[in-house]
Every structure is written in C-alpha cells, then in structure tokens.
Amino acid sequence: MYAVSRRSASPPVVAMIGGGQLARMTAQAAIALGQTLRVLAVRPDESAAQVTPDVVLGSHTDLDALRRVAEGATAFTFDHEHVPTQLLDKLVADGVNVLPPPEALVHAQDKLVMRRRLSELGAPVPRFSDVTSADDAVAFARDLGGPVVIKTVRGGYDGRGVIMADDADEAHSVVERYLADGVPVMIEERVAMRRELAALVARSPFGQGAAWPVVETVQRDGICVTVIAPAPDLSEETGSAASELALRVASALGVVGVLAVELFETVDGGLVVNELAMRPHNSGHWTMDGARTSQFEQHLRAVLDYPLGDTSALAQTVMGNVLGAPETPTMSMDERVHHLFARMPDAKVHLYGKEERPGRKIGHVNIVGGPTNSGEVGGPTNSGEVGGPTNSGEVGGPSESVESLRERAERAAHWLSHAQWTDGWDPHA
C-alpha cells in the first residue's frame, strides 16, 4: 500500500505527474502549506523540476516511473491528463490514491467518451458522432447541413487536433487524412457562439464543491490569450447555470480536484459544453492574484481532503498569456520584466522558467482592478497598496473599466513576449 495515514506526524506528500507550469505553480502553493510537491518530470530542467527538490525523472507512460513517484505519496494527481488509463488502474490496484480517479479522468482524456457521458447526463453538448470512415463524416456533415469540427479523440490541446470543415467535401478530406495515419477522430457541429466561457470548480473526495466566478476566455489560433474574470456582461442566471452545470458534472463523474468546464455561450444565450480538464487550468490562472483562494491551493486542498477555500473574486481581474514571439527578442526577459514594472507597478508576473519558442506559453500577467460595486467580489481595499507613484498613469484606480484592465493585461503580455509596446510607448521620451 502506498497511501500514507492522515495521522502521520510528517507533512503529506502530493505527487503530480508532469513537470510543466501547472506543477510549478502547484509547488508554490504547496510551500505555503508547509509541503513539498513531488513531480514526475521527463528532464531535470523542466518548469516544475526547477522549483521543487523532490523530482522523479521518467515518463508518464512508464509504470515503473509512476510507481516510483507514487511511493509514500498521500495523493497522486496530474499536471496533464495523458497517463494511460490502464496504468492508472494498476496503481489503484496497488493502493495508490489516484485523484481524480481513472474512471473520472478518462472523460478528459477521450473526447468521444466525454461527449457520450455528458449526453447521458443531459448536459448541453454539440451534436456529434464517432467516425470510422470518411463516408461517415460526409453523411454527418450533409445531415447537419452546416459547418463541422473534426477532433482527434485523444491528445489534442491548445488548438491541436481540431480542424474546422465548411462542408462535406472538406470533412471527407480531413477525416481521410487522419484515419490514414491511424488517428481516431470524431465529428461534431460547429456551434454558433457569442463567446467562450469557462466554469472552474473544485470537488473534494466526500463531495464538497466550490465554484469560482465564471470567466470569459479569448482564443487566438486555438490558444487562450486572455481571461477576463468575472466574465463581463454575464447575467446572474447564466453564470449560476454554468457553475451549477460544472458542479453537477464534477459530482456525476466523481472528479476530485479542480475541474474546468470550457463552454460556448451561444448567440441565443444558451450554454454548450466544449471541453473538460481535470487539473488546474489556464482559465484559472487569474485566481493567483484575483481570488481569495487560488486554483493551485484549492487543488491541493481537494486531493488532500482539506475543507475547500473561499472562491470569491477580490476584484475584476484580467490575465494575459505570455506566448513566445516569432523571433525571440534580444532584450533579456529580466530586462523586459524591469521595464514592465517601471510602467505598470501593479502588474503581477508569473514566468514558467521555459525556453522561449514561437507560440509557447512561457508565462502570464495578471492585472487586478480596484473594488467594484458588487458585493460578490470582496470588500473595500486600500488603493495605495497597488504600487508606488508613477508618471505613466498605468496603475488603474478603483473605477478602472474592464476594457482598460484588458488593454493593460494584453499590452503587458505582448511586451514580455516581444519587447515591444503595442502603443509605441517610449520610457525615455
């Protein structure tokens, strides 16, 4: 048996599979709880391996490596969902406390399994079908009479493995190519949407649930570039419906830990589930600075069966993802951070220790607004605490608009990526 008694005098050990930025930020949360996160990393220079002393090197497809990282762990959880289910079943048989359990995690690993299960639950999903031949795709597209989306059943993320097809002929060509390469795919309708939302929740082993405010996510080329929290102009009814849907899905699937339910808000105001993620998620990075409990602390609380934390927002917050530029700037990242802080002293920067490559997520910036008139986002704050004096006027006041917060977050993220100010600002002028 690998599980450690909760009566042990030693701090609990959480093992996380994957050495990426999610594990890195979970390690930061673990430190505050007096813990050390153990990670399974492929290389010693991976993002999380840089910041925790408890690193096991190996692959998530190697049962021996998984057993080594699980040895003595109180809970075994994930930075990504790519561990083969059959290996997780063997760990469970060994007595490892795998959270979320394999029977839940499979719904984040296999899109067809997820679609079928959500349909059984009565959750709103696009019309979909499995595909065993290109002719299947043609028949679905013609029956639908509109544009479709072809998705790889497993493994796609950040826009990978997702292809838009405008008609039956295009669907035939895409599916034929995937199947010829031995890649299973599915097909679904392309939803007429107003925008994309995300409902982030957490659930403990015994069913306690907590939901953060629903956020709006902005995508470019299939990659999230901006998160606005809470989602602007979202009715209380729709926001509650999204959170209740996410909590219901978490309960029905037996999720333990953080669950992100990515949603489409349709043009007629409805909600449709797009994807599930059973781990801390890009749509929740704003919680590190803009919520009373971050998603990373909450994930640890959940898998360790601690009471869950307060998920209320402190203020309107906008996160901008820092993506690698097409050409890496000659200016060092340290100098870029220096200049950003000089202009925006209230910017909260989170870098992942990753080599810069085009389109790669290398960090994010949170810009937190002042208190709002809504009691749901927290009480009054001292506006003098957001930074020292500046001549640029870049520190927002208590009444800073969502549009201004977004503009500053996106400008800050672009600066860190490209070493170029989108408005041509010159600090020496």
Side-chain angles (χ1 to χ4, degrees), residues 312-313 372-379:
S312 59
T372 75
N373 293 326
S374 168
E376 292 302 310
V377 295

Side-chain angles (χ1 to χ4, degrees), residues 103 155 163-164 240 243 263 307 337 351:
E103 60 270 22
I163 303 292
M164 306 294 180
S240 295
S243 294
L263 298 158
V337 170
L351 297 176

Side-chain angles (χ1 to χ4, degrees), residues 21 25 224-229 282-290 316-323 333 336-341 343-352 361-369 394 404-418 421:
Q21 66 263 24
M25 290 181 277
C224 178
V225 293
T226 306
V227 174
I228 308 169
N282 199 179
S283 67
H285 290 352
W286 70 275
T287 63
M288 298 177 75
D289 302 297
Q316 188 81 50
T317 302
V318 179
M319 182 216 74
N321 267 331
V322 181
L323 305 176
M333 180 60 79
R336 281 174 257 167
V337 170
H338 177 99
H339 284 288
L340 175 64
F341 285 162
R343 186 176 188 188
M344 299 184 193
D346 62 328
K348 306 298 291 185
V349 175
H350 302 272
L351 297 176
Y352 306 154
K361 292 176 182 174
I362 56 175
H364 69 271
V365 182
N366 287 331
I367 301 292
V368 182
E394 288 296 327
S404 174
L405 288 168
R406 176 176 176 177
E407 195 274 337
R408 292 205 296 128
E410 291 178 342
R411 190 191 323 145
H414 188 275
W415 165 256
L416 290 176
S417 296
H418 296 74
W421 291 112

Side-chain angles (χ1 to χ4, degrees), residues 92-136:
V92 171
D94 289 343
V96 177
N97 186 27
V98 177
L99 299 172
E103 60 270 22
L105 188 67
V106 69
H107 297 90
Q109 297 173 321
D110 188 306
K111 294 180 179 64
L112 194 55
V113 169
M114 179 264 289
R115 283 282 184 261
R116 287 170 172 160
R117 181 67 176 121
L118 291 181
S119 295
E120 292 172 358
L121 295 173
V125 296
R127 286 173 287 179
F128 70 95
S129 178
D130 60 343
V131 172
T132 58
S133 70
D135 289 340
D136 291 342

Side-chain angles (χ1 to χ4, degrees), residues 46-331:
E46 282 192 90
S47 185
Q50 298 172 20
V51 298
T52 178
D54 195 353
V55 180
V56 175
L57 295 179
S59 169
H60 64 272
T61 60
D62 181 349
L63 181 59
D64 178 64
L66 295 172
R67 282 176 166 153
R68 280 188 286 124
V69 78
E71 183 69 40
T74 314
F76 178 105
T77 190
F78 306 94
D79 165 277
H80 62 74
E81 294 110 338
H82 305 313
V83 183
T85 306
Q86 61 269 27
L87 298 185
L88 296 177
D89 288 337
K90 290 180 180 179
L91 294 179
V92 171
D94 289 343
V96 177
N97 186 27
V98 177
L99 299 172
E103 60 270 22
L105 188 67
V106 69
H107 297 90
Q109 297 173 321
D110 188 306
K111 294 180 179 64
L112 194 55
V113 169
M114 179 264 289
R115 283 282 184 261
R116 287 170 172 160
R117 181 67 176 121
L118 291 181
S119 295
E120 292 172 358
L121 295 173
V125 296
R127 286 173 287 179
F128 70 95
S129 178
D130 60 343
V131 172
T132 58
S133 70
D135 289 340
D136 291 342
V138 169
F140 180 87
R142 286 179 176 165
D143 182 61
L144 189 67
V148 296
V149 183
I150 293 98
K151 296 182 176 181
T152 55
V153 171
R154 285 178 174 261
Y157 67 97
D158 281 350
R160 299 176 179 88
V162 178
I163 303 292
M164 306 294 180
D166 291 328
D167 53 39
D169 290 341
E170 191 175 355
H172 182 282
S173 175
V174 172
V175 170
E176 189 173 50
R177 186 168 65 250
Y178 272 121
L179 294 182
D181 291 337
V183 179
V185 294
M186 60 174 289
I187 190 168
E188 62 186 39
E189 69 176 315
R190 193 186 308 178
V191 175
M193 65 173 178
R194 177 189 171 209
R195 58 179 172 175
E196 295 191 52
L197 304 172
L200 195 73
V201 300
R203 183 175 178 273
S204 73
F206 292 99
Q208 184 189 10
W212 286 270
V214 175
V215 302
E216 178 178 349
T217 64
V218 181
Q219 318 290 321
R220 184 174 65 233
D221 299 327
I223 300 175
C224 178
V225 293
T226 306
V227 174
I228 308 169
D233 302 318
L234 185 70
S235 71
E236 183 177 349
E237 180 182 10
T238 302
S240 295
S243 294
E244 289 169 6
L245 171 62
L247 289 168
R248 181 162 65 91
V249 169
S251 178
L253 301 185
V255 175
V256 174
V258 168
L259 168 71
V261 180
E262 298 179 52
L263 298 158
F264 298 134
E265 183 182 12
T266 63
V267 292
D268 60 1
L271 296 171
V272 175
V273 177
N274 181 27
E275 303 282 357
L276 302 179
M278 295 182 191
R279 52 174 170 74
H281 190 256
N282 199 179
S283 67
H285 290 352
W286 70 275
T287 63
M288 298 177 75
D289 302 297
R292 295 192 183 279
T293 306
S294 81
Q295 64 167 340
F296 301 102
E297 177 187 336
Q298 193 81 300
H299 190 72
L300 290 171
R301 288 196 190 206
V303 300
L304 291 171
D305 199 23
Y306 293 165
L308 299 182
D310 182 351
T311 51
S312 59
L314 298 172
Q316 188 81 50
T317 302
V318 179
M319 182 216 74
N321 267 331
V322 181
L323 305 176
E327 293 186 14
T328 301
T330 56
M331 183 186 294

